[in-house]
Amino acid sequence: MANPQVILSLVVILINSSWLFLLPHLCHGHDQLEKCNFDKIYQLGDSYSDTGNLIRESPVGSSTPFTRLPYGETFFKNATGRCSDGLLMIDYLAIALGLPLLNPYKMTDADFRHGVNFAVAGSTALPVEFLTKKNISSPATNSSLSVQLDWMLTHFDSLCHEKRDCTKKLENSLFVVGEIGGNDYNYPLIEGKGIELAKSIMPNVIEAIKDAVRRVIDYGAVRVIVPGDFPIGCYPMFLTIFPTNDSTAYDQNRCLRQLNNLAMDHNNRLQEAIEELKKEFPDTVIVCTVITTTRTNGFSRTLPILDSMKWLYEKLVVESEVTTISILGGSAEHRRFRCVSDPNQYISFDGIHSTQHAYMLMSGWLIQDILPKLQCTV
């Protein structure tokens, strides 16, 4: 099996000093991405991408902490439903494409000329009915990936007179399917159901994402990005929920090996699924953005700051013990986590969601990673 530190590269890269001047890099990314002539983005996913659907879809969503400060404090100066102190990766991607920030589907009378965000915080790849049969609850929303796809179809029905018309209108659109699937694993873990239950549904999660990509291609998608899962073993929330005196349970970055292995397994299977889809749809560009292995010593450009990562996560675990804001409505065994006082100094904002600063850095990595794979020409 691949070294557990592989999955950490996305996290480790966040505090690499070479990214301190990322905004110029995003501008450069904008110049490169202009070759694709994207005029719309359609986003599916969960809390890492939701720009305001959860807080609008139900009383449960409107009562979450994401409706009030400190969420949104850094950029918007008020809460927008984003699970961060400011912008998300999808926001930075839109900026790089020269497009307005995506409005959430549930925003009444919103401008959808440049795309729609269908992502819902707390959503799962699998339908809630499937999860219920597995004794897994979905406390935040019933708007799973299939529901979001139905919303997308409804939107396209209003946009196009017929399928051929829709295909033409969407030829310059970018579709982003995910990140999705993380909550399918997070919920059984948080609910104390054990990691084996999370592992058992992984083939179903991968198939649900694979089917979603098929459906967006059927709608007319020409270019699709499918992000992988994050290194959940490094989340301060899980580090706090699952403390252990067994030193072998942690890797060299003080992250939980077993949880990071779960995320890596998901990403490896997702990559395999995407390769199968590429053969099935040779005329569609499908980019799977997950972590890949390198030399056993890790990533040369990030290796020098591994000691800093250890210090950072030790501080985050301490921060997470302060009580001010609950995660997932308090479902994490009623444990509570404080939003960090200076988001620009941290990767994690509330124990499970990232800061705007972290999303900015990840977006730079994403844009540079996908540029050569989108196959755009002048």
Side-chain angles (χ1 to χ4, degrees):
M1 180 173 287
N3 190 308
Q5 82 177 59
V6 169
I7 192 74
L8 290 174
S9 65
L10 180 58
V11 177
V12 173
I13 198 173
L14 300 184
I15 57 174
N16 188 331
S17 60
S18 66
W19 291 87
L20 290 177
F21 300 97
L22 184 68
L23 285 175
H25 285 271
L26 285 175
C27 294
H28 176 69
H30 177 199
D31 294 338
Q32 296 295 313
L33 287 170
E34 279 184 346
K35 296 177 181 179
C36 293
N37 296 314
F38 290 126
D39 56 13
K40 301 180 189 70
I41 305 174
Y42 294 102
Q43 171 79 56
L44 301 158
D46 56 24
S47 58
Y48 297 115
S49 307
D50 185 2
T51 55
N53 282 314
L54 176 66
I55 65 171
R56 290 177 171 85
E57 73 167 4
S58 70
V60 173
S62 64
S63 65
T64 61
F66 314 131
T67 62
R68 55 187 181 271
L69 295 172
Y71 289 93
E73 65 179 356
T74 299
F75 184 84
F76 300 97
K77 307 305 178 184
N78 65 279
T80 64
R82 289 169 173 81
C83 301
S84 178
D85 61 304
L87 297 171
L88 308 177
M89 289 180 68
I90 183 58
D91 296 318
Y92 283 110
L93 183 57
I95 292 169
L97 292 174
L99 299 175
L101 302 185
L102 285 187
N103 286 320
Y105 178 70
K106 290 294 184 177
M107 179 182 285
T108 305
D109 299 325
D111 183 353
F112 294 141
R113 286 176 297 174
H114 296 286
V116 187
N117 191 327
F118 299 99
V120 183
S123 65
T124 53
L126 295 170
V128 293
E129 296 81 8
F130 178 97
L131 295 174
T132 299
K133 291 179 180 178
K134 296 287 186 177
N135 196 29
I136 301 171
S137 63
S138 179
T141 180
N142 292 330
S143 300
S144 63
L145 186 54
S146 61
V147 173
Q148 295 175 33
L149 287 163
D150 289 341
W151 291 349
M152 182 181 284
L153 179 58
T154 299
H155 173 72
F156 290 155
D157 284 345
S158 68
L159 184 70
C160 314
H161 298 296
E162 57 182 19
K163 186 173 181 179
R164 180 166 38 178
D165 176 43
C166 216
T167 301
K168 180 65 177 176
K169 288 185 176 181
L170 297 175
E171 63 182 358
N172 291 324
S173 298
L174 177 64
F175 287 75
V176 186
V177 182
E179 186 273 336
I180 191 72
N183 287 325
D184 298 68
Y185 311 131
N186 292 344
Y187 290 148
L189 292 170
I190 291 170
E191 294 163 12
K193 307 292 175 55
I195 195 169
E196 292 306 318
L197 178 56
K199 289 179 179 179
S200 72
I201 63 172
M202 188 175 292
N204 306 95
V205 170
I206 298 299
E207 191 58 37
I209 298 173
K210 192 175 180 180
D211 181 64
V213 176
R214 285 196 184 99
R215 288 185 66 180
V216 299
I217 293 173
D218 186 57
Y219 292 155
V222 178
R223 288 182 172 82
V224 185
I225 297 175
V226 187
D229 198 5
F230 289 92
I232 62 175
C234 299
Y235 287 176
M237 183 181 73
F238 284 135
L239 288 168
T240 304
I241 293 175
F242 303 117
T244 176
N245 292 324
D246 180 7
S247 61
T248 64
Y250 299 95
D251 63 20
Q252 62 185 15
N253 298 298
R254 293 183 59 82
C255 298
L256 291 164
R257 293 181 186 275
Q258 203 172 22
L259 295 187
N260 275 352
N261 285 341
L262 178 71
M264 279 195 295
D265 192 13
H266 169 92
N267 287 344
N268 289 336
R269 295 189 188 206
L270 183 62
Q271 285 180 303
E272 293 172 0
I274 296 307
E275 290 304 314
E276 293 171 2
L277 286 170
K278 288 179 180 179
K279 295 176 182 178
E280 188 175 342
F281 301 99
D283 296 328
T284 303
V285 178
I286 310 171
V287 178
C288 187
T289 58
V290 299
I291 309 305
T292 55
T293 58
T294 58
R295 297 176 184 266
T296 55
N297 283 337
F299 295 79
S300 59
R301 60 177 171 172
T302 60
L303 189 60
I305 51 84
L306 287 179
D307 287 339
S308 298
M309 283 298 298
K310 293 178 184 178
W311 172 83
L312 178 64
Y313 277 113
E314 286 171 358
K315 286 210 65 173
L316 281 172
V317 173
V318 172
E319 290 281 359
S320 69
E321 294 172 354
V322 182
T323 302
T324 57
I325 284 188
S326 64
I327 299 300
L328 299 175
S331 62
E333 298 182 1
H334 302 290
R335 294 175 184 268
R336 300 167 75 85
F337 301 83
R338 184 171 79 88
C339 292
V340 296
S341 57
D342 184 2
N344 286 332
Q345 300 298 317
Y346 293 92
I347 291 171
S348 179
F349 182 61
D350 60 11
I352 191 169
H353 301 107
S354 297
T355 60
Q356 171 179 282
H357 187 66
Y359 283 131
M360 179 184 74
L361 297 170
M362 282 190 282
S363 300
W365 168 79
L366 173 66
I367 290 168
Q368 287 199 350
D369 183 61
I370 66 174
L371 277 175
K373 300 176 183 176
L374 287 174
Q375 301 177 22
C376 300
T377 57
V378 178

